Amino acid sequence: MMFGRRREKPQEKMNDKSSGGCFKAMFCGGNVNQTRKCKSVALADAGDDGGNDRMRVARGEQESAAWDKAGKIVELLVREVVCGDEVPAEIQKKMVIDCGAQSNAKKTVEGVREEFMKSNLQLPPYWRLLAAQCNQVAIATFSMPCYWVGEGVLGGVDGVVSTTAGWQQLREVVRAEYDPATISAEQLEKIAKISGFKPRENATRVELDRANGCEQGLVFWMVSQSEQKVYLRRRFTTKTGPRLLPIQAARLNALCHSGIHPTLAQLQQILSPSQIQSLRHLP
């Protein structure tokens, strides 16, 4: 792939109204019982994984901004499960749902799982993705001839929580966040090498696109939202799809990369019922 192809001008991206930031997640707060009336997940960019915000130099600010988005989606999905018709009212009253911080979200997800186990209630298959999204992650960067393919492959690896496509030192790369408790750096590198990807040093700074064409230092230039999760965007509409967690977007993009039309059973492993209902297939 030649350097610079598919690149958009920075000012054009700033006015891109298809960005997921233009859509607000809607969910009920307060009493859990109120959420029975709010079953559907808000509509947003189907490929939105929180990557359209400019990522700052400070690692703490990056993590905080990313969780602000992911936390709201986790809360939506937790409420969708807890407020299900099959869940007794007495159990719903016990649930304390707080996903404002990543640590609180982890406690919430674990607490719901424990309560469901005690009550012999079954959690949906996608619950494991919610749990993984709440874990602390490490970062690995790989270069490849095409970052579309890189996201399609790495996004399907168990333990990978999110993928982001971009440029680094004139190479197309994918920056993968992974859970070290699920997959080690060595295991992830071995899987990547099988696909012909090469491990690269993690960037010390993350920027949105190559605004100035600057290559000073080790910088990861994140490409525009329209270049992220391309296989997912080709399969489903991008403006009317459901709001997805980074891990859900990565898995669904990997599923679409296989070239096989996703079945309902496959979608149920990744998405909630309301998210599946919101999906719109491209003709």
Side-chain angles (χ1 to χ4, degrees), residues 38 88 93 157 161 166 208 229 264:
C38 187
K93 292 178 181 178
V157 176
V161 177
L208 181 61
K229 313 293 182 297
L264 177 60

Side-chain angles (χ1 to χ4, degrees), residues 147 164-168 171-174 220-223 228:
Y147 49 58
T164 308
W167 294 92
Q168 185 170 303
R171 298 183 181 94
E172 297 199 32
V173 300
V174 169
F220 173 78
W221 299 93
M222 182 170 57
V223 295
Q228 308 285 347

Side-chain angles (χ1 to χ4, degrees), residues 10-276:
Q11 59 268 29
E12 290 176 344
K13 285 194 292 295
M14 295 301 291
N15 295 324
D16 184 4
K17 294 184 179 180
S18 67
S19 168
C22 296
F23 296 83
K24 296 183 182 298
M26 300 168 58
F27 60 91
C28 298
N31 193 314
V32 169
N33 293 328
Q34 292 177 340
T35 61
R36 284 186 176 278
K37 299 178 181 179
C38 187
K39 285 296 189 69
S40 61
V41 174
L43 299 182
D45 190 329
D48 187 1
D49 60 355
N52 56 330
D53 282 343
R54 188 177 184 85
M55 299 180 73
R56 298 173 176 82
V57 176
R59 177 68 178 166
E61 291 184 19
Q62 293 177 26
E63 293 175 344
S64 177
W67 184 255
D68 285 345
K69 289 187 174 185
K72 291 180 180 179
I73 303 172
V74 169
E75 181 162 344
L76 276 168
L77 297 177
V78 169
R79 289 185 184 278
E80 184 174 347
V81 172
V82 171
C83 300
D85 295 333
E86 69 281 2
V87 181
E90 58 270 18
I91 294 180
Q92 292 183 5
K93 292 178 181 178
K94 295 180 182 178
M95 298 292 100
V96 177
I97 301 176
D98 176 12
C99 299
Q102 189 168 356
S103 57
N104 291 344
K106 184 175 179 66
K107 291 178 182 178
T108 295
V109 171
E110 292 177 348
V112 172
R113 181 183 63 81
E114 292 175 2
E115 194 62 44
F116 270 52
M117 288 181 62
K118 291 178 184 177
S119 305
N120 292 320
L121 294 173
Q122 188 172 3
L123 285 168
Y126 64 86
W127 193 264
R128 60 187 176 83
L129 299 184
L130 266 70
Q133 190 71 68
C134 297
N135 292 338
Q136 295 296 318
V137 298
I139 295 174
T141 304
F142 300 95
S143 64
M144 63 281 299
C146 176
Y147 49 58
W148 289 354
V149 175
E151 279 203 291
V153 173
L154 296 174
V157 176
D158 188 29
V160 171
V161 177
S162 72
T163 61
T164 308
W167 294 92
Q168 185 170 303
Q169 295 181 320
L170 305 182
R171 298 183 181 94
E172 297 199 32
V173 300
V174 169
R175 184 178 171 96
E177 292 189 343
Y178 65 96
D179 179 6
T182 303
I183 187 171
S184 67
E186 293 75 17
Q187 290 172 321
L188 180 57
E189 184 175 316
K190 182 177 180 181
I191 293 173
K193 285 182 176 180
I194 291 175
S195 297
F197 306 159
K198 297 181 179 180
R200 299 294 177 183
E201 185 179 355
N202 290 328
T204 55
R205 196 168 88 244
V206 180
E207 297 287 349
L208 181 61
D209 205 354
R210 300 176 50 80
N212 300 312
C214 175
E215 280 297 331
Q216 295 179 4
L218 191 58
V219 183
F220 173 78
W221 299 93
M222 182 170 57
V223 295
S224 65
Q225 194 64 29
S226 62
E227 290 290 295
Q228 308 285 347
K229 313 293 182 297
V230 169
Y231 297 107
L232 169 57
R233 291 174 178 278
R234 286 176 175 175
R235 183 71 66 176
F236 301 104
T237 53
T238 57
K239 292 185 179 180
T240 57
R243 191 94 179 184
L244 304 179
L245 289 170
I247 191 170
Q248 290 178 310
R251 293 292 188 278
L252 191 53
N253 184 63
L255 185 60
C256 294
H257 172 248
S258 66
I260 301 174
H261 194 78
T263 65
L264 177 60
Q266 289 174 319
L267 292 176
Q268 288 173 336
Q269 297 294 315
I270 302 172
L271 307 176
S272 75
S274 65
Q275 287 177 315
I276 293 175

